[in-house]
Amino acid sequence: MSQPFSPQQQQLSNLLDRPGRVQIASYTQYLEAQRAVDYLSDAKFPVERTAIVGEGLKIVEQVTGRLDWNRALTLGMSQGAVTGVFIGLVFSFLGFGGGKGLLALLLDGLLLGIIIGAAWSLLTYALSGGRRDFTSVGGMRADHYNVLCDPEVAEQARELLSRMPPR
């Protein structure tokens, strides 16, 4: 049995699924479509009546390297160090230092972060059982990006975009 939409979910669904929108431009790069909508915004066009729609979506995962025990340890320590310093900084601003100075809290956070990050990373690597011995970064890409607009203001948007200076 499906749950009914909350009012916020229904509002978002209505925003994203407006029937009858027309295409006013198409670009091969997202940043070009973003630039077009930004240009419309600068021209005081009602940009809330536009949408950027990516078509031909694909997931791209770029492998960045081999993962072994040493790399897992190094990655865990570095990520833990950054997190630990951040937590030490937050504790110092909130006054949870117990009389310690900023530098002492940062060092405590750094050391604790390195230890916890290393342990966690090694544990998760051990539990993976060699099923994923690589690191990667991923994202979603589209073949092209269409700028859509409500039909009542589409011609105005096309006219404005025809005056957009080339990059």
Side-chain angles (χ1 to χ4, degrees):
M1 187 155 146
S2 65
Q3 296 283 355
F5 283 134
S6 71
Q8 295 85 0
Q9 289 170 321
Q10 187 61 49
Q11 186 179 17
L12 179 61
S13 178
N14 292 342
L15 263 177
L16 295 177
D17 191 24
R18 287 189 189 172
R21 282 189 164 169
V22 295
Q23 179 179 318
I24 58 170
S26 185
Y27 302 94
T28 57
Q29 299 292 318
Y30 174 77
L31 289 177
E32 294 172 321
Q34 182 181 331
R35 179 176 173 261
V37 174
D38 186 55
Y39 181 80
L40 291 173
S41 178
D42 291 345
K44 307 298 184 228
F45 180 82
V47 290
E48 64 276 3
R49 300 189 73 179
T50 63
I52 299 173
V53 178
E55 291 188 358
L57 296 179
K58 57 187 165 199
I59 296 173
V60 179
E61 182 177 11
Q62 176 61 51
V63 176
T64 58
R66 184 176 312 281
L67 186 62
D68 57 16
W69 288 101
N70 287 332
R71 177 120 168 135
L73 177 64
T74 304
L75 288 172
M77 289 172 67
S78 62
Q79 291 170 352
V82 171
T83 303
V85 167
F86 176 74
I87 290 172
L89 195 60
V90 169
F91 273 35
S92 73
F93 284 138
L94 296 176
F96 294 140
K100 289 186 175 182
L102 174 63
L103 185 59
L105 282 173
L106 292 178
L107 287 175
D108 287 350
L110 175 70
L111 291 174
L112 191 59
I114 288 172
I115 292 167
I116 292 172
W120 183 257
S121 182
L122 291 175
L123 176 68
T124 57
Y125 181 67
L127 293 175
S128 77
R131 286 185 303 273
R132 188 174 166 97
D133 286 343
F134 62 91
T135 57
S136 64
V137 293
M140 196 173 298
R141 305 285 305 202
D143 291 331
H144 60 278
Y145 300 88
N146 296 327
V147 179
L148 305 181
C149 192
D150 291 344
E152 301 82 19
V153 291
E155 209 42 56
Q156 178 189 3
R158 283 190 187 105
E159 169 63 29
L160 286 168
L161 288 179
S162 71
R163 293 186 257 146
M164 184 170 69
R167 203 153 233 235

